Amino acid sequence: MLFKQQALLRQKLFVLGSLAIGSLLYLVARVGSLDRLQPLCPIDGRFGPRNQDEIPLRALQFKRGLLHEFRKGNATKEQIRLHNLVQQLPKAIIIGVRKGGTRALLEMLNLHPSVVKASQEIHFFDNDENYAKGIEWYRKKMPFSYPHQITIEKSPAYFITEEVPERIYKMNSSIKLLIIVREPTTRAISDYTQVLEGKERKNKTYYKFEKLAIDPNTCEVNTKYKAVRTSIYTKHLERWLKYFPIEQFHIVDGDRLITEPLPELQLVEKFLNLPPRISQYNLYFNATRGFYCLRFNIVFNKCLAGSKGRIHPEVDTSVITKLRKFFHPFNQKFYQITGRTFNWP
């Protein structure tokens, strides 16, 4: 009996030993084959697409890793050359509207592996001093990207600045232009709220919204107040249409981007001729923050800054009614020009 148990134990040990040796030999062979194959895979083949229709499988990982280092200026010229990276002029610009959701739109579009965003507002076309530095200065402000990717920047002051349409036209007459809008009265109050918060941080006093939005002498809407003037979308758009056809514009619903972002992003993908890549997986609602946050992959999530979604001050209902009545004819014309209708009061 004892002899049989010892024989069985030796047999089990022999099987386990064989498995261990086999696994070790497989790992050695596997590592050796990888080492032999490594030189056959060029760097640009691993990181870049073979043609402009392909999107590299590792694009998101690359954008969040190595590309981040390049943006910080930690890469050498040789590394940039090997990775086939360039600084491109934007092929699309979010030109406005201030407090319409330009930052949210830019960050959400950056979910797409074929989109690379300029992190900061460049203010090239609306700032005379910057514009005088020339187009190469502007290009060098752009992030590194693959040649097949679309670089996008956003500067909401572009929409309302008189010189900007002609300046952008001179750079690229076929550029795609994105305008994100919200209900005009709500946008004006949001604009006021941001300025108010800045004043409060500096312990400065500021007029109430009602006093700024309504002319005290005439009791009519004060069109000299910038927050009101910016919300007259059609007046600004007509200036842009002197240089660009309406087909080069895409209007984004900023109110819908807050409550239901995916359909709006899918429309932008189509406008930019991008393959559909942004999905519901990339967007999740944060109940604490009260709006959608971004999911790039299983480990990297991002929410917009805490300054987004500020609580608006209470505004006299009669002033809101007056403003909505004032904006109504401009809104109707905006619908007619753009071909997109909103349920604004």
Side-chain angles (χ1 to χ4, degrees):
M1 183 68 178
L2 180 61
F3 177 77
K4 288 183 178 181
Q5 289 177 343
Q6 291 175 340
L8 183 61
L9 179 60
R10 284 195 298 271
Q11 186 178 5
K12 288 182 178 179
L13 290 173
F14 175 78
V15 171
L16 291 173
S18 298
L19 288 173
I21 293 171
S23 299
L24 181 61
L25 289 173
Y26 172 78
L27 289 173
V28 171
R30 178 64 175 164
V31 171
S33 66
L34 287 176
D35 289 338
R36 290 193 300 273
L37 289 174
Q38 191 78 7
L40 299 179
C41 181
I43 290 177
D44 57 350
R46 293 202 308 273
F47 291 96
R50 294 182 179 179
N51 60 65
Q52 294 196 2
D53 294 327
E54 294 180 26
I55 294 178
L57 294 177
R58 296 179 62 183
L60 284 177
Q61 178 184 353
F62 181 76
K63 285 170 65 179
R64 313 309 166 201
L66 290 176
L67 195 53
H68 178 66
E69 294 301 313
F70 296 150
R71 287 173 179 170
K72 292 193 300 183
N74 294 341
T76 65
K77 290 183 179 180
E78 180 64 14
Q79 286 175 315
I80 293 170
R81 185 189 67 78
L82 288 174
H83 290 292
N84 197 30
L85 291 169
V86 290
Q87 287 175 294
Q88 304 183 83
L89 290 172
K91 296 176 183 175
I93 300 179
I94 301 172
I95 59 175
V97 176
R98 171 181 162 92
K99 304 314 299 175
T102 57
R103 173 56 60 181
L105 177 60
L106 183 69
E107 296 293 344
M108 289 177 177
L109 288 178
N110 195 50
L111 288 164
H112 199 291
S114 284
V115 171
V116 178
K117 69 178 177 69
S119 298
Q120 302 298 322
E121 294 180 7
I122 310 300
H123 289 287
F124 177 64
F125 297 103
D126 66 306
N127 184 297
D128 291 341
E129 184 178 341
N130 287 343
Y131 190 68
K133 295 175 182 177
I135 202 72
E136 275 303 298
W137 177 89
Y138 180 56
R139 185 178 63 81
K140 289 179 181 179
K141 291 293 182 179
M142 295 299 127
F144 287 101
S145 62
Y146 289 128
H148 81 283
Q149 290 177 313
I150 293 177
T151 297
I152 296 181
E153 77 125 323
K154 74 102 174 174
S155 293
Y158 289 168
F159 185 60
I160 63 170
T161 305
E162 188 172 344
E163 299 82 5
V164 171
E166 182 179 6
R167 289 174 175 179
I168 292 181
Y169 180 84
K170 287 179 178 178
M171 178 191 73
N172 182 359
S173 61
S174 61
I175 197 165
K176 293 181 180 290
L177 303 165
L178 294 161
I179 305 172
I180 180 167
V181 294
R182 296 187 68 191
E183 190 276 313
T185 301
T186 303
R187 195 223 63 83
I189 297 172
S190 181
D191 198 327
Y192 166 83
T193 304
Q194 178 170 299
V195 176
L196 175 65
E197 184 180 275
K199 297 286 186 181
E200 289 176 342
R201 281 200 303 266
K202 298 176 182 179
N203 294 319
K204 293 183 178 181
T205 58
Y206 196 50
Y207 294 111
K208 292 187 67 175
F209 176 78
E210 292 88 340
K211 189 169 184 179
L212 294 169
I214 304 298
D215 188 323
N217 297 319
T218 64
C219 293
E220 297 299 327
V221 172
N222 180 16
T223 56
K224 294 181 180 180
Y225 178 39
K226 188 176 180 179
V228 169
R229 195 168 66 249
T230 299
S231 285
I232 309 175
Y233 304 139
T234 185
K235 290 291 186 182
H236 305 292
L237 181 59
E238 285 173 345
R239 184 172 58 252
W240 284 85
L241 291 173
K242 294 176 182 177
Y243 296 92
F244 300 96
I246 193 63
E247 292 77 19
Q248 283 178 232
F249 296 87
H250 178 73
I251 310 301
V252 179
D253 186 341
D255 295 307
R256 192 183 184 201
L257 193 73
I258 296 171
T259 60
E260 196 180 2
L262 184 58
E264 286 299 313
L265 296 173
Q266 290 172 335
L267 289 173
V268 177
E269 283 180 323
K270 186 176 180 180
F271 172 70
L272 297 177
N273 296 319
L274 293 171
R277 289 292 182 271
I278 302 174
S279 69
Q280 197 60 58
Y281 169 81
N282 300 119
L283 303 160
Y284 67 96
F285 187 76
N286 186 314
T288 304
R289 303 290 297 278
F291 48 79
Y292 280 85
C293 293
L294 316 179
R295 180 186 292 116
F296 290 89
N297 52 46
I298 196 169
V299 296
F300 184 65
N301 299 339
K302 181 177 183 178
C303 285
L304 297 178
S307 61
K308 304 301 178 182
R310 295 180 181 89
I311 298 175
H312 292 180
E314 289 188 15
V315 176
D316 189 289
T317 54
S318 65
V319 171
I320 292 177
T321 301
K322 186 182 287 286
L323 283 169
R324 286 177 173 172
K325 185 177 180 180
F326 168 80
F327 287 127
H328 182 74
F330 296 111
N331 295 342
Q332 296 301 311
K333 191 171 184 180
F334 186 71
Y335 302 160
Q336 184 180 5
I337 293 173
T338 62
R340 182 154 195 189
T341 302
F342 300 94
N343 296 320
W344 295 338

